[in-house]
Amino acid sequence: MPWWKEEPWRLIQTNLREIDMQDLSAERYAADLKDFRATVVLLNAAGISAGYDTKLPYHSKNPYLTGDSLERIVKLCHENGIRVIARADFSKVRRNVYEMHPEWAFRTEHGDVMEQNGFVQTCLCGDYQQKYAFEILEELFGRIPFDGLYCNMGGFQTRDYEFRDYGFCHCRSCREAFRNYSGKELPEQRDSQDPVWREYEDFQKHMLTDYRKKMAGFLKGISGEICFDDVDYARIEAATEVSIRLPHWIYHASSNCRAIIGDGTSGIICSNTSVSYPGYGLRHASVSPALHAMRLWQNMANLGALDYYLIGRLDTASDRSAFETVKRIFAFREKHDAVYRNLRSTASVLLRRKDRWVATEEEKGWIRVLTEAHIPFAEILPDAMKQADLSRYRVVILADEGELEQQEGDRIDEYVLRGGTVIASGQNRIREYPAESGGTKFLRSSGILKLEKEDRQAMSAQLFLEKEEKQAFPSHQAIDAVPVGDTYFFLEWDEAAKTFLKLIPHQPFGPPECCYSREVWDYPGLIDYTYGSGRYFTLPWLPGSFYSKTGHSNTVGIMRDILTEHCGLVSVAADLTPMAEVTVSEDDSGHILIQLVNNSGAFGLTFFDPLPVEQVSLQIPTEKIPVSVISLMGGHVTWRKENGTLFLLLDRLAEYDALRIEFEYGGSADERQYS
């Protein structure tokens, strides 16, 4: 079994600047990592700047290599039980290298390059990344026994560090590669309705997949003990960016971990890093210690590894305010590593997420509602969704996912046919390929026949709840109308479907004297369609987006009622504040771990230490009777078993806790030490 499957993963990334090598002490470097309880370190080695004495002509050598060498650093880390992953960045070359090989560069449609601070963007299709990068890696791993590789900024980059968008690459290599792939010229512009643009997106995905496969094969040919990003582990970031990412997404770490882990069948390690700095222009400052703590606890609660990333070295960092917090959490994980091994989520809800790096507003709204209602759930990315066993889940959520591949749509239809339940907000359709004809294809299980039109200016519209519908929506006893938000889809549906709520169309919103409407249309807010043994709920609007952007409870009530009253889902902590997060997982022996993260310290744009929560009650469905229930944080837990439910009461939740529930038939002697 490879080392990353056997050894604990607590990673520190020191993103070394060139000058950090000038007086670097390998002894101090390794000692600092030991002080953090790190088991893995990620550091700069090759690409933009070679951190060793390279002999290759186009591999720019760091001019400050006067401190201890990478060879000595790796040797001392290994002697201290720390694995070392090399960071390489082949996305850019120095200006002088570009001038010798201009064909390696990214090109705009006008033939310009993307350049910043003397570094020129390269293209994935060009020979620098396709050929020369492998010469660099052959030299690197031939000289230094790194344990893994991480490639930064891979893929088809279109923006620089100031987020200026240069469009997609038009270099000769891209044009030739796309022509070989499709027989076509590059699309004229980004246009989701253009079949050529869609084929170009498929081309990008194909090139990335092929490149990853090629590099993985190359590394495994050197040694099966070299781990590679996106094959053996997946590196992703929980970060802030002052220029584009406000307000903060407080479930960033949790959602990242869930999306990477998916249904858990890949076995990949999710190394979701807590990025130290507040933004690219603030590389040497740190976000608040409380935010780092929240991210790291969220990682653990959602089965991710611990990962902390800063610019520079630990011994010379200009902002060390979060160090003690990070050390404390790493030390806690070290103490209880055995408990966190081989865990899998027991969630019965699966949320599809379009993109690995960014959750959409609609997805964020559903993530918030599920988290705040304490209904455990998993997230999954499209490629994994195509292979997932959906029958494991009671409910699948499609949060305005747009166009699905035919294969994925067929799997969802089969899932519903056999008794599954789908909640679908917004538009969820089957992708039309150029060779196919006919109108928009909706999933058979949805009961949706046609999209008549869409209204993206619907903010003053409402959904009217009639008295006889109040029983189906108990959260709305005092609410008769719900805001639609800015989008409504006018659909035609199968007459066998049942509908709820009716659309009150646009109405004047000023002056106050004219703010009313006398019309109520038959277009619904919820369509309930039975397909085979299952059900498909369509919301032809975007409640998740509205909640994510505004945070108001009237929308939450509709969403929660659909989850609980219509789909029969049950909260595991019905009385717990929505500001705490709860996850439930089990290990190979069937023992349960309930993790709680107190997010109450998130206050606007600032993060403080969370307020403690007293008397936390939990309800976990199980037919098994525990032999012990203990808090890893030392809290007092009482429990009782009644009618297939385990009722637990934790005396106090500070920032985090984990309740270990052991059952008689499983668990090793080492595990029992926690009881």
Side-chain angles (χ1 to χ4, degrees):
M1 185 178 291
W3 66 265
W4 57 90
K5 295 287 187 182
E6 291 186 308
E7 300 173 14
W9 186 288
R10 299 187 297 276
L11 186 146
I12 299 286
Q13 177 183 354
T14 55
N15 207 343
L16 300 176
R17 305 159 299 170
E18 288 183 327
I19 59 171
D20 287 315
M21 297 295 290
Q22 186 170 270
D23 59 350
L24 190 151
S25 162
E27 287 82 0
R28 176 64 187 270
Y29 187 83
D32 286 338
L33 293 172
K34 289 287 286 184
D35 191 36
F36 272 78
R37 305 295 202 278
T39 59
V40 186
V41 66
L42 172 61
L43 54 78
N44 307 54
I48 289 175
S49 181
Y52 63 99
D53 188 19
T54 179
K55 304 303 181 185
L56 295 171
Y58 308 117
H59 192 200
S60 301
K61 179 181 171 182
N62 180 353
Y64 296 95
L65 297 180
T66 54
D68 282 341
S69 66
L70 279 184
E71 290 91 336
R72 179 158 176 75
I73 293 169
V74 172
K75 181 177 184 294
L76 280 182
C77 284
H78 284 168
E79 289 176 0
N80 283 275
I82 300 168
R83 299 287 183 170
V84 188
I85 296 176
R87 177 187 180 275
D89 192 329
F90 302 117
S91 69
K92 298 169 187 66
V93 292
R94 293 181 191 273
R95 178 80 192 186
N96 68 307
V97 175
Y98 155 71
E99 290 172 349
M100 288 184 280
H101 283 282
E103 74 277 9
W104 287 351
F106 166 101
R107 298 283 177 177
T108 69
E109 62 178 323
H110 303 297
D112 300 323
V113 299
M114 186 195 308
E115 183 176 7
Q116 193 170 22
N117 298 324
F119 295 92
V120 177
Q121 186 77 24
T122 64
C123 176
L124 179 70
C125 296
D127 281 351
Y128 177 71
Q129 293 201 41
Q130 290 291 333
K131 295 180 180 178
Y132 200 71
F134 290 88
E135 295 183 36
I136 293 173
L137 292 176
E138 185 173 23
E139 180 186 62
L140 176 68
F141 282 90
R143 292 187 54 169
I144 307 172
F146 283 105
D147 301 290
L149 176 68
Y150 169 72
C151 288
N152 187 60
M153 296 285 282
F156 292 88
Q157 299 293 327
T158 63
R159 299 188 300 178
D160 62 19
Y161 284 107
E162 294 181 55
F163 301 101
R164 291 175 294 216
D165 195 333
Y166 292 75
F168 57 97
C169 184
H170 288 69
C171 76
R172 178 181 296 177
S173 297
C174 273
R175 295 199 304 270
E176 290 179 355
F178 184 63
R179 197 179 298 123
N180 292 335
Y181 175 82
S182 68
K184 300 180 178 68
E185 297 302 318
L186 290 173
E188 294 183 4
Q189 59 186 349
R190 296 167 174 155
D191 181 1
S192 61
Q193 303 305 311
D194 179 8
V196 180
W197 173 256
R198 292 179 175 184
E199 200 161 3
Y200 177 71
E201 288 181 312
D202 288 341
F203 158 75
Q204 287 189 326
K205 184 176 179 181
H206 164 77
M207 290 296 296
L208 279 166
T209 302
D210 185 69
Y211 188 68
R212 283 288 182 190
K213 198 175 295 183
K214 178 181 175 182
M215 189 166 284
F218 175 82
L219 293 169
K220 300 301 182 182
I222 297 173
S223 171
E225 289 293 301
I226 297 174
C227 66
F228 182 44
D229 181 39
D230 279 353
V231 175
D232 306 302
Y233 71 97
R235 196 98 195 294
I236 194 165
E237 297 181 353
T240 65
E241 177 51 60
V242 293
S243 58
I244 62 169
R245 292 179 186 164
L246 294 176
H248 302 299
W249 172 223
I250 66 168
Y251 300 122
H252 200 172
S254 293
S255 186
N256 278 354
C257 291
R258 285 191 297 261
I260 293 298
I261 291 167
D263 65 351
T265 57
S266 71
I268 198 166
I269 295 169
C270 177
S271 197
N272 177 65
T273 191
S274 182
V275 178
S276 179
Y277 50 81
Y280 284 148
L282 301 164
R283 295 275 205 175
H284 305 292
S286 175
V287 300
S288 68
L291 176 55
H292 281 301
M294 189 178 79
R295 290 172 179 168
L296 295 173
W297 292 128
Q298 286 184 357
N299 276 14
M300 289 175 57
N302 291 279
L303 310 186
L306 291 184
D307 189 322
Y308 171 66
Y309 156 35
L310 79 159
I311 294 288
R313 299 189 333 225
L314 292 166
D315 62 325
T316 58
S318 58
D319 189 336
R320 301 173 298 283
S321 58
F323 279 16
E324 292 308 312
T325 295
V326 175
K327 288 179 184 180
R328 173 170 55 82
I329 296 172
F330 272 51
F332 173 86
R333 180 60 179 259
E334 179 187 47
K335 179 180 178 182
H336 300 291
D337 263 329
V339 171
Y340 292 91
R341 285 179 175 271
N342 303 315
L343 292 173
R344 58 184 174 275
S345 170
T346 62
S348 61
V349 177
L350 182 66
L351 172 77
R352 184 188 190 270
R353 209 177 102 181
K354 290 181 193 177
D355 184 77
R356 166 177 174 162
W357 290 97
V358 182
T360 67
E361 291 296 338
E362 185 66 16
E363 291 164 354
K364 286 181 180 178
W366 285 100
I367 289 167
R368 282 195 60 184
V369 168
L370 288 162
T371 303
E372 292 160 9
H374 309 307
I375 297 173
F377 66 104
E379 297 179 42
I380 196 165
L381 297 171
D383 285 345
M385 179 88 163
K386 295 172 188 174
Q387 311 299 324
D389 177 10
L390 300 183
S391 66
R392 293 172 47 190
Y393 300 95
R394 289 185 59 186
V395 175
V396 170
I397 298 177
L398 305 176
D400 193 33
E401 296 300 276
E403 296 182 329
L404 312 176
E405 299 287 344
Q406 183 71 55
Q407 173 190 354
E408 194 175 358
D410 290 343
R411 290 177 68 84
I412 294 169
D413 284 338
E414 182 69 17
Y415 163 74
V416 180
L417 183 70
R418 295 182 177 275
T421 298
V422 169
I423 301 172
S425 58
Q427 293 200 74
N428 302 279
R429 301 176 288 178
I430 302 300
R431 177 174 180 175
E432 290 284 358
Y433 285 91
E436 297 177 346
S437 60
T440 300
K441 291 172 62 178
F442 289 93
L443 281 75
R444 294 189 302 273
S445 55
S446 70
I448 304 302
L449 306 177
K450 179 182 176 183
L451 172 65
E452 295 180 357
K453 65 175 181 177
E454 58 185 75
D455 184 354
R456 298 285 181 176
Q457 305 294 325
M459 189 58 75
S460 64
Q462 302 175 73
L463 292 168
F464 178 63
L465 190 64
E466 299 186 85
K467 288 182 180 180
E468 54 269 25
E469 294 178 323
K470 291 295 182 84
Q471 186 175 355
F473 296 95
S475 297
H476 284 64
Q477 298 307 303
I479 300 173
D480 296 332
V482 178
V484 168
D486 55 15
T487 302
Y488 184 85
F489 300 97
F490 292 85
L491 303 173
E492 181 181 322
W493 59 92
D494 190 298
E495 62 181 10
K498 185 177 181 181
T499 63
F500 298 89
L501 297 92
K502 291 184 178 180
L503 182 67
I504 300 173
H506 292 272
Q507 56 186 302
F509 47 85
E513 289 82 357
C514 69
C515 294
Y516 60 87
S517 173
R518 293 182 176 180
E519 295 182 274
V520 178
W521 294 352
D522 285 333
Y523 288 99
L526 177 66
I527 301 168
D528 177 0
Y529 184 65
T530 299
Y531 181 76
S533 301
R535 295 168 77 186
Y536 194 112
F537 294 96
T538 297
L539 293 93
W541 51 301
L542 303 176
S545 298
F546 189 71
Y547 181 46
S548 179
K549 293 173 184 176
T550 68
H552 297 304
S553 59
N554 44 24
T555 308
V556 174
I558 286 286
M559 297 168 77
R560 286 189 64 164
D561 286 343
I562 291 170
L563 292 166
T564 57
E565 301 299 317
H566 296 258
C567 298
L569 298 173
V570 178
S571 172
V572 297
D575 300 323
L576 179 60
T577 173
M579 292 183 286
E581 181 177 350
V582 184
T583 65
V584 184
S585 52
E586 65 179 9
D587 63 17
D588 292 341
S589 298
H591 303 314
I592 291 175
L593 189 69
I594 303 170
Q595 298 185 70
L596 302 103
V597 182
N598 187 347
N599 299 314
S600 66
F603 189 77
L605 296 179
T606 309
F607 294 84
F608 302 103
D609 291 335
L611 297 172
V613 182
E614 308 293 338
Q615 302 299 300
V616 176
S617 59
L618 302 155
Q619 307 88 40
I620 307 299
T622 181
E623 296 299 330
K624 299 179 289 186
I625 299 176
V627 294
S628 70
V629 180
I630 42 87
S631 157
L632 299 191
M633 282 292 189
H636 179 67
V637 188
T638 58
W639 62 270
R640 62 183 173 85
K641 177 79 166 23
E642 185 178 309
N643 298 327
T645 300
L646 182 63
F647 295 90
L648 304 108
L649 184 65
L650 172 66
D651 63 340
R652 190 172 189 267
L653 170 65
E655 60 179 354
Y656 169 86
D657 210 333
L659 307 186
R660 166 79 166 174
I661 305 172
E662 289 195 0
F663 300 97
E664 185 173 3
Y665 62 83
S668 66
D670 288 340
E671 290 172 323
R672 292 190 203 284
Q673 67 180 307
Y674 299 103
S675 58

